[in-house]
Amino acid sequence: MAIRKEIPIPLEREITRIEPNSIVVRGVKIEDLIREWNFSEVVWFLIKGERPTPERARMLEAILVAMCDHGPTPASTKAARLIVSAGSPIQAAIAGGILAFGDHHAGAIELAMKLFQESVEELIEERGLSFKEAAQAIVDDHFQRDKKIPGYGHRYHKRDPRPPALISLARSLEVDGPHLRLAVEIEKILSETKGIHMNIDGASGAILSDMGFPYLTGRGIFAIGRVPGLLAEVLLELLAYKPFRKDL
Amino acid sequence: MAIRKEIPIPLEREITRIEPNSIVVRGVKIEDLIREWNFSEVVWFLIKGERPTPERARMLEAILVAMCDHGPTPASTKAARLIVSAGSPIQAAIAGGILAFGDHHAGAIELAMKLFQESVEELIEERGLSFKEAAQAIVDDHFQRDKKIPGYGHRYHKRDPRPPALISLARSLEVDGPHLRLAVEIEKILSETKGIHMNIDGASGAILSDMGFPYLTGRGIFAIGRVPGLLAEVLLELLAYKPFRKDL
Amino acid sequence: MAIRKEIPIPLEREITRIEPNSIVVRGVKIEDLIREWNFSEVVWFLIKGERPTPERARMLEAILVAMCDHGPTPASTKAARLIVSAGSPIQAAIAGGILAFGDHHAGAIELAMKLFQESVEELIEERGLSFKEAAQAIVDDHFQRDKKIPGYGHRYHKRDPRPPALISLARSLEVDGPHLRLAVEIEKILSETKGIHMNIDGASGAILSDMGFPYLTGRGIFAIGRVPGLLAEVLLELLAYKPFRKDL
Amino acid sequence: MAIRKEIPIPLEREITRIEPNSIVVRGVKIEDLIREWNFSEVVWFLIKGERPTPERARMLEAILVAMCDHGPTPASTKAARLIVSAGSPIQAAIAGGILAFGDHHAGAIELAMKLFQESVEELIEERGLSFKEAAQAIVDDHFQRDKKIPGYGHRYHKRDPRPPALISLARSLEVDGPHLRLAVEIEKILSETKGIHMNIDGASGAILSDMGFPYLTGRGIFAIGRVPGLLAEVLLELLAYKPFRKDL
């Protein structure tokens, strides 16, 4: 659970100070946030305690948008729709969906971030490997342990359409760095040898790492991005289908 | 559970079409959303099936920002921190927080929206009352039934700082309409007679109603806005405090 | 949310007194409960504040056993298995299953209990109808409002095998009373006219009502009975299947 | 996640067979379970696929009773009461309580079971240490790593009253074995050197291990025992207190 010291998140023991008639978030009045801040700036500020540059705020927003919905296929969406279909309220259904953000679902972002962050630090910065060498070492290590590399491959898509859009945006906004570079090198090897490509977890995890998010924040950021989709899917189930249907 | 016919939400039985290598949200490719859409536009699009005007998207974003955190005081935040402190993972803590979005917490937005939407339709449009008369009728009715009016009064704030900022923004963006007008008239009566003012539920509920959101969407929209704060509070508990502390 | 005055549950504002080295549940030391009480006696005691007769304890136990599992078909079981399959821990999966105990699933017991309790009080005790007349009035009322009667019909079983076993046991233990009698009269009419029979919600709801449980306790009692099945199903998914499988 | 081969749980990919008018749990008709089985026998049967001896069923029942409630102090109970107080339904509150069964709460049983099971196998059976030697090795190892031994110490009780009652019952029923013997030896060392005693997690974990439950089942068994208490506490909050009170 250790957070790497180079990528700190603030631990002042108070995020929002509540006093009568006053709500101050990390030192900024809520009225000012309402008037002048974008949503993704506020997300960044709540987690990391600093206001991001416009480019970084735009990139975080695009990552949240990329996560917004994946139709009825994910375990989270299925669980949420089952719960509302059984007659529980919308908050219970959204919560039930979020419960499915385990290590094989949203948690995969954290696993990818952890891999990228530890590898950049240990293989590249400390041991002085090139990105290509580090990528090969990671692939070999997972292959020998018969493990999948988190952030690559998708059970529905051979080529997940989200990574190219995110990577291209990261480069044009110039918010990319060593984690994305490593992630791309890994993809080169995997696509050549196995036809496996980067997925949303890999792309968003690498870019979030380049923007200084510790891996522990990954599945929560996914939750922020996916709640809109969960809500839309739950409203659809509630309004367009018979309750407690057998074919769900 | 009936959704008023004038404020429809789309029920095409499919929100996002998943095909191999393709994710299409309500007819728009995910790559295009990533490149060109704001987060609040996507939230609006997922729920209501149309792209909002820039003013409306900005207003929805400000409402989400207004909901972002309220420190450690709400039942949702307390539940989330208790769960992570007991050693369950972040997704379980966020889910536990959302479970507290019941009728006395986030659900109050829905109750306020329902009141405003039904009153504008029945008292103003159908019966022809003025906004002032309608407001008085609502206050009298709740007073006689010894009921609180949802959207007014706050257990911590005499004057919640968020409504003035939201109302002022709504007016400058020209997205306000009859629901907010009614909400303000109710506040005039309550503040004169009882010193009670509008709260975040009332202000955001009225503006969301003016922008065509059916009341059933209220607590889900609150969830979208509050997950960032839940995440930040949960990370703080996890990283800055001893596990399973007695004083939580 | 009013609890009928004749069927009180204790509201002393403390269930279990915790003092250093001492755990006293409603006045009884935990050591004595461990040594001398059955599980169903403790369930009864926690909810109703009195120790049941052996016959009533046995009947409650049989009701809990009847609820223990229904294979992979219910929404609750599906949600629980999806959550553990996605890599979240067992407590998250059980919780997600319980979230599906909405008005169309476990909540149906409460709806059946409410119907039986209100009908016995209003139709039989106050208005003096016979059980047969009351049953006919209930059937007619639901038919006219085009509503299903809670506690009858099952989406998988034409004849749910659990009600006959429960009813027969209730009679042999002599814990049956007017609610079960009314429930059986309703079934007679429904089976003759529509081929619909009593289900587990109806049988357990009627017997719980006869034993003095207010309807508000119904879905919680179902939860007590069903958690063992949820646990077994979740362990099976975790141990016998590939994680995050598409065919779940 | 490996289950030790000597303590198997059945993995036939079907627990309960559902066919029209038929519910068969691990080969036994539900009607027979209702008529002839105790609740704790059914719990055992669902998890382990065999009917226990009467002594073992009685012991499991006593363990479930020991877990039934711990007043308003645990994180699980606090979370559950907060959720119902905020206006969410009973199933959401019970689920929220169960979400707090993390590694520092109910999960401690699993950690204790894992320690006892691995130590009996590796230290006693394989390496041939005496129980006293094994206990000393475990204490030394945790002391050197500056780790607490799971199953010992309690944040409210110096002497948890539940372990002596459970251990005494286990011995009189003759269901005790090497895991409990090791657990008692550890307690001897800890109580002499540090004044720390066994807690409910240690006692129930050791006895469950002696009865052949793999550690992975521990927190689920705790959930079965604690749901009655969560229900009673939630009903109390709902019926005896003002909604959304600040002092909760």
Side-chain angles (χ1 to χ4, degrees):
Chain A
M1 217 57 96
I3 291 294
R4 297 170 63 236
K5 59 190 174 310
E6 313 80 34
I7 320 177
I9 76 170
L11 301 178
E12 293 96 352
R13 301 214 161 188
E14 187 180 67
I15 291 164
T16 300
R17 172 159 294 185
I18 302 301
E19 287 172 350
N21 307 332
S22 164
I23 302 170
V24 177
V25 181
R26 297 201 183 281
V28 180
K29 284 187 189 175
I30 192 82
E31 304 92 294
D32 294 338
L33 293 181
I34 290 171
R35 273 192 290 263
E36 294 162 25
W37 291 54
N38 295 330
F39 183 74
S40 62
E41 288 179 305
V42 172
V43 170
W44 187 298
F45 189 51
L46 279 167
I47 297 173
K48 286 169 60 61
E50 63 188 20
R51 189 169 186 172
T53 63
E55 291 75 21
R56 291 181 155 208
R58 175 69 196 105
M59 188 70 233
L60 178 58
E61 180 167 52
I63 288 172
L64 296 175
V65 166
M67 293 161 167
C68 71
D69 193 44
H70 198 270
T73 69
S76 51
T77 310
K78 284 182 191 166
R81 292 179 70 154
L82 283 161
I83 289 167
V84 85
S85 175
S88 282
I90 289 170
Q91 72 269 32
I94 294 174
I98 289 174
L99 288 179
F101 291 165
D103 284 353
H104 306 301
H105 192 356
I109 298 177
E110 289 189 9
L111 300 177
M113 290 170 81
K114 189 166 189 290
L115 175 70
F116 298 144
Q117 292 174 16
E118 290 178 354
S119 301
V120 165
E121 181 170 316
E122 291 163 23
L123 302 183
I124 292 170
E125 293 173 8
E126 291 175 15
R127 290 181 40 198
L129 267 58
S130 72
F131 287 92
K132 198 171 170 176
E133 289 166 342
Q136 190 66 55
I138 291 164
V139 172
D140 290 348
D141 172 62
H142 282 76
F143 182 76
Q144 279 161 25
R145 292 185 293 127
D146 199 25
K147 289 262 190 183
K148 285 171 51 179
I149 304 183
Y152 298 87
H154 194 283
R155 58 183 196 166
Y156 285 94
H157 308 294
K158 189 144 186 66
R159 284 183 178 273
D160 186 334
R162 295 163 292 186
L166 289 173
I167 293 170
S168 155
L169 185 65
R171 287 173 176 159
S172 73
L173 292 168
E174 299 184 4
V175 298
D176 58 323
H179 303 90
L180 182 57
R181 195 167 156 194
L182 177 62
V184 169
E185 289 294 335
I186 294 172
E187 189 188 32
K188 277 185 200 160
I189 301 172
L190 289 180
S191 72
E192 277 165 28
T193 57
K194 296 175 180 263
I196 292 174
H197 294 86
M198 205 187 299
N199 63 26
I200 176 77
D201 301 318
S204 54
I207 299 167
L208 288 170
S209 297
D210 279 335
M211 298 198 300
F213 284 86
Y215 67 82
L216 200 57
T217 62
R219 97 180 61 197
I221 291 172
F222 183 86
I224 298 169
R226 181 55 61 89
V227 169
L230 286 176
L231 173 59
E233 298 275 348
V234 159
L235 288 169
L236 183 72
E237 182 65 38
L238 185 63
L239 298 170
Y241 289 90
K242 239 183 68 168
F244 211 48
R245 58 194 173 100
K246 277 167 82 170
D247 57 338
L248 184 63
Chain B
M1 213 58 94
I3 293 293
R4 296 169 62 239
K5 58 191 175 310
E6 313 80 33
I7 319 177
I9 75 171
L11 302 178
E12 292 95 355
R13 301 213 160 186
E14 187 179 66
I15 291 165
T16 300
R17 171 160 295 186
I18 304 301
E19 287 171 351
N21 308 331
S22 164
I23 302 170
V24 177
V25 181
R26 295 201 182 283
V28 180
K29 284 185 188 178
I30 191 83
E31 304 93 293
D32 294 338
L33 293 181
I34 291 170
R35 273 192 290 264
E36 295 163 24
W37 290 55
N38 296 331
F39 183 74
S40 62
E41 288 178 307
V42 171
V43 170
W44 186 298
F45 189 51
L46 278 166
I47 298 173
K48 288 169 58 64
E50 63 188 20
R51 189 170 185 172
T53 64
E55 292 76 21
R56 290 180 155 209
R58 174 70 196 105
M59 188 69 234
L60 178 58
E61 180 167 53
I63 289 172
L64 295 175
V65 166
M67 292 161 168
C68 71
D69 194 44
H70 198 271
T73 68
S76 50
T77 310
K78 285 181 189 166
R81 292 179 70 153
L82 283 161
I83 289 167
V84 86
S85 175
S88 282
I90 289 171
Q91 72 269 32
I94 294 175
I98 289 175
L99 287 180
F101 292 164
D103 285 352
H104 307 300
H105 192 356
I109 298 176
E110 289 189 9
L111 300 178
M113 289 170 80
K114 189 167 189 288
L115 175 70
F116 298 145
Q117 291 175 16
E118 291 178 353
S119 300
V120 165
E121 180 170 317
E122 290 163 25
L123 302 183
I124 292 170
E125 293 174 9
E126 290 176 15
R127 287 180 39 198
L129 268 58
S130 72
F131 286 92
K132 198 170 170 177
E133 289 166 343
Q136 191 64 56
I138 291 165
V139 172
D140 291 348
D141 172 61
H142 283 76
F143 182 77
Q144 280 162 23
R145 291 184 295 128
D146 197 26
K147 290 262 191 184
K148 285 172 50 180
I149 303 183
Y152 298 87
H154 195 283
R155 58 185 197 166
Y156 285 94
H157 308 295
K158 189 143 185 65
R159 283 184 178 273
D160 186 334
R162 296 164 290 187
L166 289 173
I167 292 170
S168 154
L169 185 64
R171 286 171 177 161
S172 74
L173 291 168
E174 299 184 1
V175 299
D176 57 322
H179 303 92
L180 182 57
R181 195 167 159 195
L182 177 63
V184 170
E185 290 293 334
I186 295 172
E187 188 187 33
K188 277 186 199 160
I189 300 172
L190 288 180
S191 72
E192 277 166 28
T193 55
K194 296 176 182 262
I196 292 174
H197 294 85
M198 205 187 299
N199 63 27
I200 176 77
D201 301 319
S204 54
I207 298 167
L208 287 170
S209 297
D210 279 336
M211 298 199 300
F213 284 86
Y215 67 82
L216 199 58
T217 63
R219 98 179 59 198
I221 291 172
F222 183 87
I224 297 169
R226 181 55 61 87
V227 169
L230 286 176
L231 174 59
E233 299 275 347
V234 160
L235 288 169
L236 183 73
E237 182 65 39
L238 185 64
L239 298 170
Y241 290 91
K242 241 184 66 169
F244 210 49
R245 59 193 172 100
K246 277 167 82 168
D247 57 336
L248 185 61
Chain C
M1 216 57 96
I3 292 294
R4 295 170 63 236
K5 60 191 175 310
E6 312 81 34
I7 320 178
I9 77 171
L11 301 177
E12 292 96 353
R13 301 213 160 188
E14 188 179 67
I15 290 165
T16 300
R17 171 159 295 186
I18 303 301
E19 287 171 350
N21 308 332
S22 165
I23 302 170
V24 177
V25 181
R26 296 201 183 282
V28 179
K29 284 185 187 176
I30 191 82
E31 305 92 295
D32 294 339
L33 292 181
I34 290 170
R35 273 192 291 264
E36 295 163 24
W37 291 53
N38 295 330
F39 182 75
S40 62
E41 288 178 306
V42 171
V43 170
W44 187 297
F45 189 50
L46 279 167
I47 298 173
K48 288 170 57 66
E50 62 187 20
R51 188 169 186 172
T53 63
E55 291 76 21
R56 290 180 155 208
R58 175 69 196 105
M59 188 70 234
L60 178 58
E61 180 167 53
I63 288 172
L64 296 175
V65 166
M67 292 161 168
C68 72
D69 193 44
H70 197 270
T73 68
S76 50
T77 309
K78 284 182 189 167
R81 292 179 71 154
L82 283 161
I83 290 167
V84 87
S85 175
S88 282
I90 290 171
Q91 73 268 30
I94 294 175
I98 289 175
L99 287 179
F101 292 164
D103 285 352
H104 307 301
H105 192 356
I109 298 177
E110 289 190 7
L111 300 179
M113 289 171 80
K114 189 166 189 288
L115 174 70
F116 297 145
Q117 291 174 16
E118 290 178 353
S119 299
V120 164
E121 182 171 315
E122 290 163 24
L123 302 183
I124 292 170
E125 293 174 8
E126 289 175 16
R127 288 181 38 199
L129 268 58
S130 72
F131 287 92
K132 197 170 170 176
E133 288 166 342
Q136 190 65 55
I138 291 164
V139 172
D140 291 348
D141 172 61
H142 283 75
F143 182 77
Q144 279 162 22
R145 291 184 295 128
D146 198 24
K147 290 262 189 185
K148 284 171 51 179
I149 303 182
Y152 299 86
H154 194 284
R155 58 184 196 167
Y156 284 94
H157 308 295
K158 187 140 187 68
R159 284 184 178 272
D160 186 335
R162 296 165 291 187
L166 288 173
I167 293 171
S168 154
L169 185 64
R171 287 174 177 158
S172 73
L173 291 168
E174 298 184 3
V175 298
D176 57 323
H179 303 90
L180 182 57
R181 194 167 159 196
L182 176 63
V184 169
E185 289 294 334
I186 294 171
E187 189 188 33
K188 276 185 201 162
I189 300 172
L190 289 180
S191 71
E192 276 166 30
T193 57
K194 296 174 181 265
I196 293 174
H197 294 86
M198 205 186 299
N199 63 26
I200 177 75
D201 301 318
S204 54
I207 298 168
L208 287 170
S209 297
D210 279 334
M211 298 199 300
F213 284 86
Y215 66 83
L216 200 56
T217 63
R219 96 180 63 196
I221 291 172
F222 183 87
I224 298 169
R226 179 56 60 89
V227 169
L230 287 175
L231 173 60
E233 299 275 348
V234 160
L235 288 169
L236 182 72
E237 182 65 38
L238 185 63
L239 298 170
Y241 291 90
K242 240 184 66 170
F244 210 47
R245 58 192 172 101
K246 276 167 84 168
D247 56 337
L248 185 62
Chain D
M1 216 57 97
I3 292 295
R4 296 169 62 238
K5 59 191 174 311
E6 312 80 32
I7 320 177
I9 75 171
L11 302 178
E12 291 98 352
R13 302 214 159 186
E14 187 178 68
I15 291 165
T16 300
R17 171 159 296 186
I18 304 300
E19 286 171 352
N21 307 333
S22 164
I23 301 170
V24 177
V25 181
R26 295 200 183 283
V28 180
K29 284 186 190 175
I30 193 82
E31 304 91 293
D32 293 338
L33 293 181
I34 291 171
R35 273 191 291 262
E36 294 162 25
W37 290 55
N38 295 331
F39 183 73
S40 62
E41 288 178 305
V42 171
V43 170
W44 187 297
F45 189 51
L46 278 166
I47 298 173
K48 287 169 59 62
E50 63 188 19
R51 189 169 185 172
T53 64
E55 291 76 21
R56 292 181 153 207
R58 174 69 196 104
M59 188 70 234
L60 178 58
E61 179 167 53
I63 289 172
L64 296 175
V65 166
M67 293 161 168
C68 71
D69 193 43
H70 197 270
T73 70
S76 51
T77 310
K78 284 182 190 167
R81 292 179 70 153
L82 283 161
I83 290 167
V84 85
S85 174
S88 281
I90 289 171
Q91 72 269 30
I94 294 175
I98 289 174
L99 288 180
F101 292 164
D103 285 352
H104 307 301
H105 193 357
I109 298 176
E110 289 189 9
L111 300 178
M113 290 169 80
K114 190 166 188 288
L115 175 69
F116 298 145
Q117 292 173 16
E118 290 178 354
S119 300
V120 165
E121 181 171 316
E122 291 163 24
L123 302 183
I124 292 170
E125 292 173 10
E126 290 175 16
R127 289 180 39 199
L129 270 56
S130 73
F131 285 93
K132 198 170 171 176
E133 289 165 343
Q136 191 64 55
I138 291 165
V139 171
D140 292 348
D141 172 61
H142 282 76
F143 182 76
Q144 281 161 22
R145 292 185 294 130
D146 198 25
K147 288 264 190 182
K148 286 172 50 180
I149 304 183
Y152 299 87
H154 195 283
R155 58 183 197 168
Y156 285 94
H157 308 294
K158 189 142 187 67
R159 284 183 178 273
D160 185 335
R162 296 164 292 186
L166 288 173
I167 293 171
S168 155
L169 184 65
R171 287 172 176 159
S172 74
L173 291 169
E174 299 184 1
V175 298
D176 58 323
H179 303 91
L180 182 59
R181 196 167 157 195
L182 176 63
V184 169
E185 289 294 334
I186 294 172
E187 188 187 33
K188 277 185 199 160
I189 300 171
L190 289 180
S191 72
E192 277 166 27
T193 57
K194 298 177 179 261
I196 292 174
H197 294 86
M198 205 187 298
N199 62 27
I200 176 77
D201 301 318
S204 55
I207 299 167
L208 287 170
S209 296
D210 279 335
M211 298 198 300
F213 284 87
Y215 67 82
L216 199 57
T217 62
R219 97 180 61 198
I221 291 173
F222 183 87
I224 298 170
R226 180 56 60 87
V227 169
L230 286 176
L231 173 60
E233 299 274 348
V234 160
L235 288 170
L236 183 72
E237 182 65 39
L238 184 64
L239 298 171
Y241 290 90
K242 239 182 69 168
F244 211 48
R245 58 194 173 99
K246 277 167 83 169
D247 57 338
L248 184 62

